[in-house]
Amino acid sequence: MAKYQNMLRPLDLGFTTIRNRVLMGSMHTGLEEPEKLGAGGLAKLAAFFRKRAEGNVGLIVTGGISPNGEGRLVPGASKLSKTEEVAPHKEVTAAVHSVGSGTKICMQILHAGRYAYHPAAVSASAIQAPIGPFKPKELSEADVERTIDDYATCAALAREAGYDGVEVMGSEGYLINQFLAEHTNRRQDGWGGSYKNRARLPLEIVRRIREKVGKDFIIIFRLSMLDLVEKGSTWEEIVELAQGLERAGVTIINTGIGWHEARIPTIATCVPRAAFSWVTAKLKGAVSVPLVTTNRINSPDVAERVISEGHADMVSMARPFLADPWLVRKAEEGRVDEINTCIACNQACLDHTFGGLTSSCLVNPFACHETELVSTPAKTKWRVAVVGAGPVSRLACILFFGMNSTCVGGREGGKGGTRAEKRVWRGAPAAPVPRATAAAPTPPPGGAPP
């Protein structure tokens, strides 16, 4: 722990404690949609998050769940607005809490606004998004009040479902952002014009949520600290909102960088590690609640540096937990060299999401398929040699290790063969051995143990 003492230090929130400073950021995986999964409900999502809880991450934030029908990203997307929708979420929270690692889980409340891919889209003003197929309807003042109540009801239902808190998505260009910025808010009533009016929506949402859920429930607000669009929020406005959110009752402020329609890369491979942590650092001192920084933080070393330099109180990593659910645990156990690192390719996560497919990971195909790709110990033993030095050969070794087997390739550290990876996953041998045993010549796909 000494090497990562800042990242692994608990965070005391007063009414509860987070076991370390790592937040698994919100991701849409395609597992959130019970209407698409049918009778299976959220069982696949529960298995996905359970695996990450086993890896000792401090706090998980789910993919976005809408507070009402018009706020859904796509038709049939998940929402939480009625009591009968609570039960599937109880399976998710029970899966995380039953691990016993102390991992907490918050449900993200996300209203798509004009980013919705359906004709019922709504927004602050009737201005179509450059990346949206539908022109939104402008919400009436009565609609705004109803939407605020929908957020509060959604949060109360999330508490009933067993979540430790909620994250209010106020960044990335979704509905709350659309009210905050002149870029999309052309209203002339009490919800538009001055910044005080434009900021009423998020402040009222947080106030009413806090009234509904009480004091012992985490409220994270994902605050857009850098819009990267014309007529976005100024820094003075961002500070004013952050301070207002603290007074309204938020527990944690998370950092959002860039609207989805922004033309500046924020998470691609070309973006340097922790490239935007300076933005979060600017807010330090302006508020007293813990701050989370994000974007291109993909290793314990980067996380430790960001926190030790005072840029933030926590770090958010999302895609790195697709690549390796045991990232934090391996850091705790001194096995950082065994972490399967996210390469920020976006090909099996974001590309799949935008294509309406279930997400996964190019460097960990077991991600989001925890209930289908299940590795079991071998019954029939075979001798297996893995030839090659590339990622596929490494994955083969991982698969055999996961089946309680060993594999052997070329000379240690040399080319033209794969050395048996040392303890890549739990249960793997400490060193290469001369022979390998496996389940069958063509083993079924398996979920490699962490």
Side-chain angles (χ1 to χ4, degrees):
M1 177 175 173
K3 185 175 181 181
Y4 304 109
Q5 57 183 347
N6 291 294
M7 185 190 83
L8 298 177
R9 190 170 71 247
L11 179 63
D12 185 0
L13 299 178
F15 59 88
T16 191
T17 299
I18 300 174
R19 67 168 291 157
N20 53 55
R21 304 303 179 98
V22 182
L23 179 152
M24 177 180 167
S26 174
M27 292 179 286
H28 290 284
T29 62
L31 302 179
E32 302 87 3
E33 321 303 356
E35 294 180 16
K36 293 181 180 179
L37 298 177
L42 295 178
K44 293 181 180 180
L45 187 66
F48 172 75
F49 284 134
R50 178 185 177 88
K51 185 69 71 174
R52 277 74 200 164
E54 290 172 352
N56 293 350
V57 63
L59 177 60
I60 293 170
V61 178
T62 71
I65 307 297
S66 177
N68 55 36
E70 62 197 17
R72 291 174 167 181
L73 281 165
V74 296
S78 188
K79 69 178 179 68
L80 185 57
S81 60
K82 299 181 291 187
T83 302
E84 52 265 37
E85 295 168 336
V86 168
H89 289 274
K90 288 185 176 181
E91 186 173 9
V92 173
T93 57
V96 170
H97 294 146
S98 66
V99 171
S101 62
T103 296
K104 301 189 183 304
I105 182 166
C106 293
M107 189 193 82
Q108 187 185 81
I109 306 176
L110 183 152
H111 191 301
R114 72 177 192 158
Y115 281 169
Y117 270 65
H118 55 73
V122 296
S123 186
S125 300
I127 304 171
Q128 186 170 345
I131 61 172
F134 298 100
K135 183 177 180 178
K137 169 195 168 187
E138 179 176 312
L139 288 167
S140 68
E141 292 193 70
D143 289 335
V144 174
E145 288 287 347
R146 174 181 53 80
T147 299
I148 295 170
D149 286 338
D150 289 343
Y151 270 89
T153 298
C154 185
L157 292 172
R159 175 158 196 158
E160 183 181 337
Y163 287 102
D164 300 292
V166 292
E167 178 177 77
V168 177
M169 180 47 139
S171 67
E172 265 62 24
Y174 292 112
L175 181 72
I176 291 175
N177 245 174
Q178 294 162 25
F179 269 82
L180 285 168
E182 288 185 287
H183 181 70
T184 44
N185 189 338
R186 311 289 171 81
R187 302 174 71 99
Q188 299 300 316
D189 59 10
W191 303 96
S194 68
Y195 186 72
K196 181 178 180 181
N197 285 351
R198 285 183 277 124
R200 283 180 64 198
L201 181 67
L203 294 175
E204 281 300 315
I205 286 172
V206 171
R207 285 192 194 104
R208 292 191 202 179
I209 287 177
R210 183 55 77 194
E211 288 174 2
K212 281 263 192 179
V213 300
K215 296 180 179 180
D216 58 342
F217 191 68
I218 299 170
I219 301 177
I220 307 168
F221 190 91
R222 184 82 177 268
L223 173 62
S224 184
M225 297 190 194
L226 198 62
D227 286 344
L228 301 179
V229 295
E230 291 184 9
K231 294 185 178 180
S233 297
T234 67
W235 182 251
E236 292 73 22
E237 290 171 344
I238 291 165
V239 173
E240 179 183 336
L241 178 56
Q243 293 172 339
L245 290 167
E246 181 174 12
R247 290 191 295 271
V250 298
T251 316
I252 297 170
I253 294 178
N254 195 0
T255 302
I257 301 292
W259 289 32
H260 285 316
E261 64 200 70
R263 306 299 295 172
I264 298 171
T266 58
I267 60 173
T269 308
C270 62
V271 178
R273 304 291 192 277
F276 297 100
S277 66
W278 63 270
V279 181
T280 314
K282 283 183 66 177
L283 194 59
K284 292 280 283 184
V287 293
S288 60
V289 295
L291 299 179
V292 184
T293 196
T294 187
N295 287 47
R296 292 293 281 128
I297 299 170
N298 69 341
S299 72
D301 291 279
V302 176
E304 178 69 16
R305 174 174 59 81
V306 165
I307 297 172
S308 65
E309 291 178 356
H311 287 200
D313 302 289
M314 294 185 74
V315 295
S316 173
M317 291 188 257
R319 294 169 299 165
F321 285 100
L322 288 176
D324 195 333
W326 272 38
L327 186 153
V328 174
R329 187 161 184 171
K330 288 176 180 177
E332 291 174 342
E333 297 175 354
R335 299 191 290 137
V336 177
D337 60 323
E338 298 169 16
I339 291 174
N340 201 32
T341 305
C342 168
I343 59 175
C345 69
N346 298 326
Q347 293 181 46
C349 50
L350 288 180
D351 285 357
H352 278 205
T353 297
F354 294 140
L357 304 173
T358 300
S359 293
S360 190
C361 179
L362 280 196
V363 298
N364 178 24
F366 310 109
C368 300
H369 296 87
E370 287 77 11
T371 61
E372 297 129 318
L373 303 180
V374 180
S375 179
T376 56
K379 293 182 179 179
T380 304
K381 295 183 178 181
W382 291 76
R383 296 178 180 180
V384 176
V386 177
V387 180
V392 173
S393 299
R394 179 177 180 273
L395 185 59
C397 283
I398 292 171
L399 175 60
F400 293 136
F401 286 158
M403 295 158 66
N404 243 358
S405 307
T406 56
C407 63
V408 63
R411 59 189 172 82
E412 179 84 12
K415 296 181 179 180
T418 301
R419 69 179 177 85
E421 299 280 347
K422 185 171 65 175
R423 299 189 316 277
V424 176
W425 301 100
R426 184 178 60 176
V433 294
R435 295 188 183 278
T437 58
T442 307

